[in-house]
Structure formats: C-alpha cells, structure tokens
Amino acid sequence: MYKRLKIFTVFFALSVLLFANIAFGLSVTDDRGQQVELAQPPARIVSLAPSCTEMLFALSLSQKIVGVTTYCNFPQEALNKEKVGTITEVELEKLLSLQPDLVVASSLNPQELLTRLEELGIAVYLVNPQNMEEILSDLEKLAKICGVEEKGEALVHSLRERIKRVEEKTAGMTEVQKPLVFHLIWHQPIWTAGKGTFIDELIEKAGGKNAASDLEGYVSIELEELLRRNPDIITVVENHGDAQNLPYQFLLQDQRLQTLKAVKEGRVARVDSDIVSRPGPRIVQALEIFAKIIHPEIFGEYRFEDYEIQSQTATQDN
C-alpha cells in the first residue's frame, strides 16, 4: 500500500511539473517591469545593443543570434552577424525579415520601435541595469527566457567569484589607503562620472575614492574644478568612437594640467571605452582593470594593450 502511494505521489508531482511547463512556458519580468513570455526557447534572436549582444554571446547563444547592430563589435563573431541598423536607427523591415521570435533591447532603443514589434507579436526583453548586481540579475533572467537557465547560473556564479576576489582584497582598506581617482570621459568640456554610475561603483569596489562622488550621474565640470580636486589617479577612456585617444592626448599635452598630481606622477591610465562603459558581462573585467590601476601593489601591473587582449579571450571562454 505504501509503495503504491509513493508511486502515485511521484507520478502526480511529475504531472504537475509537466502541466506547468506546457501551460506557462518561459516567463520572466524585464527591466521595464513587463512580463515577457515565450511558449518555448527562442530559435532566432535579434540584439539591439552591444551590451545585449555581449550578454547573449556569454550565454553561448551565438547560433541563435540572427541580427545585431552596427555597434556590436564584441566578441569578434558578432561582426559576422546580419546588421539591422544602429541603436537609435533600426531598420524595421530588415529586422522583420530575420523573423526573430525574441528581440533583446536596451533603454537606448526607440520606445516606438519596441512597441511596434510587440504589436506585431514579437517578444521584446528590455535590459536596463543600473548597477553590477542588476547586470548579473539580467544575465540570469535572459538565460531563463532563452531556455539556458543552467548556463546562466554557472556564468553568474563565475562572475560573482571574480567580483568577490577583488572585494575581499579591498574591503578592509582605510580611507588613507584609498587613492582619489578621476575618470575622464571627454575633455571639451570635461565629462566625468559621479555617484550612481557604473564607474563610481567600479572605483569604490576596486579600493579607490571617486573624485566626483559628490556629483550626480555623468556630468561636466570646469577645468579649474579638476585642478582643485587634484586626483592621485586619472583613468581616461580610449577607443571612444571616432575620437580615439583625444582625451588622453589632452591630459598629456595641455600645460595647465601638468600640475596635477596624477599627471606629474605618471598615474594616468587608458581604459577601453567598450569594456568600462557597457552594462554587460565585461563589467567584471572592468572591475579587474580598475583594481590593477588603483592598487597595482595588490593586483599586479596593468597594461592597456595586454589586458584588452586577455579580457576578450576570457569572455569568449565563458
């Protein structure tokens, strides 16, 4: 009797799980707070932002990606995918011709485009993380809606371990041990990153103090204000569109800046714009880069060229 009851219980449980899967399919809530549902894992995916593309590739979904934007340049394989336009100017007809059953979008894409896609019956998952934890959460949710939940969990676990290794080495630092770091995004006018940005989070986790932490978001400041703040370290973005290294050259050549402590002591470091600016899985590589720049005595020497190559390989291996 007991054996029959046990068999019945197992059978009932399996039936419930099977019914639930058939009835509800795949369902997650995206960063709009909107429920995205699919009856089965998507077979054809279009990405409308570089950060989304990097997430999809990191989840080993390369074979299902049928379209990306012209800005999607990482990993190398993304360059061979069909292009559907830019982030803000997407070619709707081209996108529809690719017959996607899931479009992964960012908050930078036109809202009217996303609305139109949903009116046409195409599922849209919007990614708009505001910090590193939300990036990891988006990776997990994206993995779930794409039917690769286990892959997502393994990837996020690996990324969390790398974040933890940095945090463990900087957690006990005193304020005196934390150098003042200024992040230069652009030089005419001077743009930097204040609190509430990924850069602020990277600097803090890497054991530094953001020289613009009293400012909100991405902001411009006067040159005199940069001189007054006199940071110990300056990080400056490179490969920023067509500008290449103009902000870096500005730091080295403008005579007014030669009195800055960071410039005098040679602590001006270039960082790849794509790695430190995109809210995707490479944000962990960005953290490791900032850790090397701010505390080379702990994390080792940072070299722009070497790390760029290493980081690409690491992400492709994920």
Side-chain angles (χ1 to χ4, degrees):
M1 179 66 183
Y2 173 77
K3 186 176 179 181
R4 291 175 61 186
L5 180 61
K6 187 176 180 181
I7 292 173
F8 173 80
T9 303
V10 172
F11 177 78
F12 179 78
L14 290 173
S15 298
V16 169
L17 288 172
L18 180 62
F19 175 80
N21 190 44
I22 293 173
F24 302 108
L26 301 162
S27 177
V28 297
T29 303
D30 73 3
D31 288 345
R32 295 171 293 184
Q34 189 163 311
Q35 201 73 11
V36 181
E37 297 181 347
L38 290 174
Q40 57 189 13
R44 301 177 65 82
I45 305 171
V46 168
S47 167
L48 296 183
S51 58
C52 303
T53 299
E54 294 192 16
M55 284 186 173
L56 292 167
F57 272 101
L59 292 169
S60 301
L61 293 166
S62 170
Q63 297 302 314
K64 294 186 175 183
I65 302 171
V66 295
V68 299
T69 75
T70 54
Y71 295 146
C72 297
N73 57 0
F74 185 87
Q76 185 77 17
E77 194 179 346
L79 299 173
N80 300 324
K81 297 293 183 181
E82 288 286 338
K83 303 299 184 295
V84 297
T86 67
I87 297 174
T88 55
E89 296 181 358
V90 176
E91 300 173 34
L92 180 59
E93 288 188 9
K94 180 63 182 293
L95 191 160
L96 295 177
S97 73
L98 298 174
Q99 300 181 314
D101 40 22
L102 177 66
V103 170
V104 183
S106 86
S107 58
L108 299 175
N109 298 127
Q111 178 57 50
E112 57 271 23
L113 169 71
L114 307 185
T115 301
R116 181 58 181 150
L117 290 173
E118 289 176 322
E119 288 173 348
L120 293 169
I122 299 173
V124 175
Y125 181 91
L126 187 126
V127 179
N128 185 30
Q130 301 301 308
N131 52 53
M132 294 179 72
E133 184 56 38
E134 290 184 8
I135 290 175
L136 300 181
S137 174
D138 270 321
L139 277 168
E140 289 179 322
K141 289 189 290 184
L142 196 54
K144 184 177 180 181
I145 196 68
C146 290
V148 291
E149 198 166 355
E150 289 187 4
K151 176 66 182 177
E153 290 173 353
L155 173 62
V156 169
H157 175 75
S158 170
L159 295 174
R160 284 192 193 283
E161 287 297 306
R162 289 165 60 188
I163 294 171
K164 183 180 174 183
R165 284 198 287 273
V166 173
E167 289 182 318
E168 286 179 343
K169 293 178 179 178
T170 61
M173 289 182 174
T174 65
E175 289 302 302
V176 176
Q177 293 174 303
K178 297 179 180 179
L180 194 62
V181 183
F182 185 86
H183 184 69
L184 180 64
I185 299 171
W186 189 243
H187 59 295
Q188 290 179 332
I190 293 172
W191 275 86
T192 189
K195 64 181 177 182
T197 65
F198 285 105
I199 297 298
D200 183 66
E201 190 177 10
L202 294 174
I203 292 172
E204 294 293 329
K205 286 183 181 295
K209 291 180 290 191
N210 184 4
S213 63
D214 59 322
L215 305 175
E216 190 74 40
Y218 294 97
V219 293
S220 65
I221 66 170
E222 299 294 332
L223 185 141
E224 291 73 18
E225 187 58 26
L226 172 56
L227 295 173
R228 188 187 69 78
R229 295 180 184 236
N230 196 21
D232 301 303
I233 298 171
I234 297 177
T235 54
V236 51
V237 297
E238 187 153 313
N239 298 331
H240 190 61
D242 296 332
Q244 294 299 318
N245 66 352
L246 288 179
Y248 181 61
Q249 294 302 322
F250 164 72
L251 279 172
L252 298 185
Q253 296 174 4
D254 192 304
Q255 289 304 310
R256 296 170 295 178
L257 300 175
Q258 303 314 302
T259 59
L260 285 174
K261 184 178 179 182
V263 176
K264 287 193 295 185
E265 296 182 358
R267 300 201 70 181
V268 176
R270 296 174 294 155
V271 292
D272 188 292
S273 175
D274 289 348
I275 296 176
V276 304
S277 304
R278 293 179 179 176
R282 284 200 292 171
I283 200 70
V284 177
Q285 294 171 349
L287 173 62
E288 293 165 344
I289 286 173
F290 272 82
K292 283 176 175 280
I293 293 171
I294 297 172
H295 289 290
E297 76 283 4
I298 298 174
F299 296 98
E301 181 187 2
Y302 166 72
R303 295 205 325 157
F304 174 75
E305 298 83 0
D306 291 349
Y307 203 91
E308 184 179 40
I309 295 170
Q310 292 169 5
S311 68
Q312 290 177 0
T313 303
T315 298
Q316 286 170 331
D317 288 343
N318 278 330

mmCIF file of all heavy atoms in Angstrom, residues 94-116:
data_model
loop_
_atom_site.group_PDB
_atom_site.id
_atom_site.type_symbol
_atom_site.label_atom_id
_atom_site.label_comp_id
_atom_site.label_asym_id
_atom_site.label_seq_id
_atom_site.Cartn_x
_atom_site.Cartn_y
_atom_site.Cartn_z
ATOM 1 N N LYS A 94 14.324 45.266 -42.251
ATOM 2 C CA LYS A 94 15.439 44.315 -42.193
ATOM 3 C C LYS A 94 15.284 43.415 -40.964
ATOM 4 O O LYS A 94 15.491 42.209 -41.032
ATOM 5 C CB LYS A 94 16.764 45.073 -42.130
ATOM 6 C CG LYS A 94 17.995 44.170 -42.057
ATOM 7 C CD LYS A 94 18.106 43.318 -43.303
ATOM 8 C CE LYS A 94 19.300 42.370 -43.252
ATOM 9 N NZ LYS A 94 20.569 43.126 -43.295
ATOM 10 N N LEU A 95 14.927 44.057 -39.852
ATOM 11 C CA LEU A 95 14.746 43.276 -38.619
ATOM 12 C C LEU A 95 13.656 42.214 -38.803
ATOM 13 O O LEU A 95 13.850 41.044 -38.469
ATOM 14 C CB LEU A 95 14.401 44.221 -37.465
ATOM 15 C CG LEU A 95 14.419 43.650 -36.039
ATOM 16 C CD1 LEU A 95 14.542 44.801 -35.023
ATOM 17 C CD2 LEU A 95 13.187 42.845 -35.704
ATOM 18 N N LEU A 96 12.518 42.620 -39.374
ATOM 19 C CA LEU A 96 11.410 41.673 -39.549
ATOM 20 C C LEU A 96 11.774 40.555 -40.526
ATOM 21 O O LEU A 96 11.318 39.413 -40.383
ATOM 22 C CB LEU A 96 10.166 42.423 -40.034
ATOM 23 C CG LEU A 96 9.576 43.446 -39.052
ATOM 24 C CD1 LEU A 96 8.397 44.174 -39.684
ATOM 25 C CD2 LEU A 96 9.143 42.760 -37.753
ATOM 26 N N SER A 97 12.614 40.879 -41.508
ATOM 27 C CA SER A 97 12.999 39.857 -42.490
ATOM 28 C C SER A 97 13.805 38.729 -41.847
ATOM 29 O O SER A 97 13.890 37.632 -42.394
ATOM 30 C CB SER A 97 13.812 40.492 -43.625
ATOM 31 O OG SER A 97 15.117 40.831 -43.182
ATOM 32 N N LEU A 98 14.385 39.002 -40.688
ATOM 33 C CA LEU A 98 15.171 37.986 -39.988
ATOM 34 C C LEU A 98 14.288 37.047 -39.160
ATOM 35 O O LEU A 98 14.772 36.082 -38.576
ATOM 36 C CB LEU A 98 16.218 38.656 -39.082
ATOM 37 C CG LEU A 98 17.259 39.504 -39.830
ATOM 38 C CD1 LEU A 98 18.161 40.241 -38.843
ATOM 39 C CD2 LEU A 98 18.084 38.642 -40.765
ATOM 40 N N GLN A 99 12.998 37.383 -39.078
ATOM 41 C CA GLN A 99 11.984 36.549 -38.409
ATOM 42 C C GLN A 99 12.375 36.145 -36.973
ATOM 43 O O GLN A 99 12.371 34.944 -36.641
ATOM 44 C CB GLN A 99 11.707 35.291 -39.242
ATOM 45 C CG GLN A 99 11.187 35.604 -40.631
ATOM 46 C CD GLN A 99 10.900 34.364 -41.438
ATOM 47 O OE1 GLN A 99 11.701 33.430 -41.489
ATOM 48 N NE2 GLN A 99 9.756 34.347 -42.086
ATOM 49 N N PRO A 100 12.705 37.139 -36.151
ATOM 50 C CA PRO A 100 13.072 36.791 -34.766
ATOM 51 C C PRO A 100 11.844 36.407 -33.941
ATOM 52 O O PRO A 100 10.741 36.888 -34.194
ATOM 53 C CB PRO A 100 13.676 38.097 -34.250
ATOM 54 C CG PRO A 100 12.933 39.161 -34.989
ATOM 55 C CD PRO A 100 12.705 38.589 -36.382
ATOM 56 N N ASP A 101 12.040 35.510 -32.978
ATOM 57 C CA ASP A 101 10.972 35.255 -32.010
ATOM 58 C C ASP A 101 11.312 35.888 -30.674
ATOM 59 O O ASP A 101 10.531 35.798 -29.727
ATOM 60 C CB ASP A 101 10.668 33.769 -31.862
ATOM 61 C CG ASP A 101 11.925 32.918 -31.865
ATOM 62 O OD1 ASP A 101 12.998 33.454 -31.564
ATOM 63 O OD2 ASP A 101 11.814 31.724 -32.170
ATOM 64 N N LEU A 102 12.488 36.543 -30.592
ATOM 65 C CA LEU A 102 12.822 37.342 -29.409
ATOM 66 C C LEU A 102 13.760 38.471 -29.828
ATOM 67 O O LEU A 102 14.740 38.245 -30.534
ATOM 68 C CB LEU A 102 13.513 36.490 -28.334
ATOM 69 C CG LEU A 102 13.967 37.260 -27.081
ATOM 70 C CD1 LEU A 102 12.765 37.792 -26.309
ATOM 71 C CD2 LEU A 102 14.826 36.380 -26.171
ATOM 72 N N VAL A 103 13.429 39.685 -29.401
ATOM 73 C CA VAL A 103 14.310 40.842 -29.585
ATOM 74 C C VAL A 103 14.788 41.287 -28.203
ATOM 75 O O VAL A 103 13.971 41.513 -27.311
ATOM 76 C CB VAL A 103 13.578 42.000 -30.295
ATOM 77 C CG1 VAL A 103 14.426 43.276 -30.254
ATOM 78 C CG2 VAL A 103 13.265 41.619 -31.733
ATOM 79 N N VAL A 104 16.101 41.377 -28.043
ATOM 80 C CA VAL A 104 16.669 41.841 -26.777
ATOM 81 C C VAL A 104 17.096 43.289 -26.988
ATOM 82 O O VAL A 104 17.947 43.580 -27.844
ATOM 83 C CB VAL A 104 17.871 40.971 -26.352
ATOM 84 C CG1 VAL A 104 18.390 41.442 -24.996
ATOM 85 C CG2 VAL A 104 17.457 39.504 -26.284
ATOM 86 N N ALA A 105 16.499 44.188 -26.222
ATOM 87 C CA ALA A 105 16.689 45.626 -26.452
ATOM 88 C C ALA A 105 17.229 46.306 -25.196
ATOM 89 O O ALA A 105 17.245 45.726 -24.104
ATOM 90 C CB ALA A 105 15.357 46.261 -26.853
ATOM 91 N N SER A 106 17.684 47.556 -25.379
ATOM 92 C CA SER A 106 18.129 48.366 -24.244
ATOM 93 C C SER A 106 17.263 49.616 -24.155
ATOM 94 O O SER A 106 16.480 49.914 -25.062
ATOM 95 C CB SER A 106 19.603 48.751 -24.403
ATOM 96 O OG SER A 106 19.724 49.918 -25.178
ATOM 97 N N SER A 107 17.457 50.367 -23.085
ATOM 98 C CA SER A 107 16.669 51.589 -22.900
ATOM 99 C C SER A 107 17.051 52.663 -23.916
ATOM 100 O O SER A 107 16.359 53.671 -24.048
ATOM 101 C CB SER A 107 16.884 52.129 -21.477
ATOM 102 O OG SER A 107 18.263 52.370 -21.252
ATOM 103 N N LEU A 108 18.153 52.456 -24.654
ATOM 104 C CA LEU A 108 18.586 53.429 -25.658
ATOM 105 C C LEU A 108 17.831 53.272 -26.969
ATOM 106 O O LEU A 108 17.847 54.176 -27.810
ATOM 107 C CB LEU A 108 20.094 53.280 -25.917
ATOM 108 C CG LEU A 108 21.008 53.514 -24.718
ATOM 109 C CD1 LEU A 108 22.464 53.225 -25.085
ATOM 110 C CD2 LEU A 108 20.870 54.941 -24.205
ATOM 111 N N ASN A 109 17.171 52.141 -27.158
ATOM 112 C CA ASN A 109 16.409 51.924 -28.396
ATOM 113 C C ASN A 109 15.110 52.735 -28.352
ATOM 114 O O ASN A 109 14.540 52.933 -27.275
ATOM 115 C CB ASN A 109 16.086 50.438 -28.557
ATOM 116 C CG ASN A 109 17.329 49.577 -28.671
ATOM 117 O OD1 ASN A 109 17.501 48.602 -27.943
ATOM 118 N ND2 ASN A 109 18.216 49.922 -29.582
ATOM 119 N N PRO A 110 14.633 53.197 -29.509
ATOM 120 C CA PRO A 110 13.383 53.979 -29.545
ATOM 121 C C PRO A 110 12.200 53.183 -28.999
ATOM 122 O O PRO A 110 11.972 52.050 -29.432
ATOM 123 C CB PRO A 110 13.215 54.292 -31.037
ATOM 124 C CG PRO A 110 14.577 54.152 -31.624
ATOM 125 C CD PRO A 110 15.255 53.078 -30.841
ATOM 126 N N GLN A 111 11.462 53.793 -28.090
ATOM 127 C CA GLN A 111 10.314 53.114 -27.482
ATOM 128 C C GLN A 111 9.269 52.755 -28.521
ATOM 129 O O GLN A 111 8.649 51.687 -28.459
ATOM 130 C CB GLN A 111 9.695 54.003 -26.401
ATOM 131 C CG GLN A 111 8.470 53.413 -25.733
ATOM 132 C CD GLN A 111 8.738 52.048 -25.104
ATOM 133 O OE1 GLN A 111 9.706 51.887 -24.366
ATOM 134 N NE2 GLN A 111 7.901 51.052 -25.417
ATOM 135 N N GLU A 112 9.056 53.650 -29.525
ATOM 136 C CA GLU A 112 8.034 53.369 -30.528
ATOM 137 C C GLU A 112 8.379 52.118 -31.343
ATOM 138 O O GLU A 112 7.492 51.395 -31.794
ATOM 139 C CB GLU A 112 7.838 54.577 -31.467
ATOM 140 C CG GLU A 112 9.074 55.047 -32.194
ATOM 141 C CD GLU A 112 9.881 56.093 -31.425
ATOM 142 O OE1 GLU A 112 9.753 56.155 -30.191
ATOM 143 O OE2 GLU A 112 10.613 56.842 -32.085
ATOM 144 N N LEU A 113 9.675 51.872 -31.525
ATOM 145 C CA LEU A 113 10.092 50.661 -32.240
ATOM 146 C C LEU A 113 9.730 49.415 -31.434
ATOM 147 O O LEU A 113 9.178 48.445 -31.983
ATOM 148 C CB LEU A 113 11.600 50.687 -32.486
ATOM 149 C CG LEU A 113 12.200 49.365 -33.000
ATOM 150 C CD1 LEU A 113 11.761 49.109 -34.432
ATOM 151 C CD2 LEU A 113 13.710 49.369 -32.879
ATOM 152 N N LEU A 114 10.020 49.451 -30.143
ATOM 153 C CA LEU A 114 9.732 48.299 -29.294
ATOM 154 C C LEU A 114 8.232 48.040 -29.229
ATOM 155 O O LEU A 114 7.782 46.887 -29.269
ATOM 156 C CB LEU A 114 10.306 48.518 -27.895
ATOM 157 C CG LEU A 114 11.805 48.888 -27.837
ATOM 158 C CD1 LEU A 114 12.271 48.963 -26.395
ATOM 159 C CD2 LEU A 114 12.648 47.907 -28.636
ATOM 160 N N THR A 115 7.463 49.116 -29.135
ATOM 161 C CA THR A 115 6.003 48.979 -29.113
ATOM 162 C C THR A 115 5.492 48.348 -30.403
ATOM 163 O O THR A 115 4.634 47.465 -30.391
ATOM 164 C CB THR A 115 5.350 50.359 -28.929
ATOM 165 O OG1 THR A 115 5.804 50.929 -27.702
ATOM 166 C CG2 THR A 115 3.830 50.250 -28.901
ATOM 167 N N ARG A 116 6.053 48.797 -31.525
ATOM 168 C CA ARG A 116 5.633 48.262 -32.826
ATOM 169 C C ARG A 116 5.946 46.771 -32.940
ATOM 170 O O ARG A 116 5.132 45.979 -33.442
ATOM 171 C CB ARG A 116 6.353 49.029 -33.949
ATOM 172 C CG ARG A 116 5.981 48.588 -35.363
ATOM 173 C CD ARG A 116 4.499 48.718 -35.608
ATOM 174 N NE ARG A 116 4.122 48.279 -36.939
ATOM 175 C CZ ARG A 116 2.949 47.746 -37.235
ATOM 176 N NH1 ARG A 116 2.023 47.617 -36.291
ATOM 177 N NH2 ARG A 116 2.662 47.378 -38.461
#
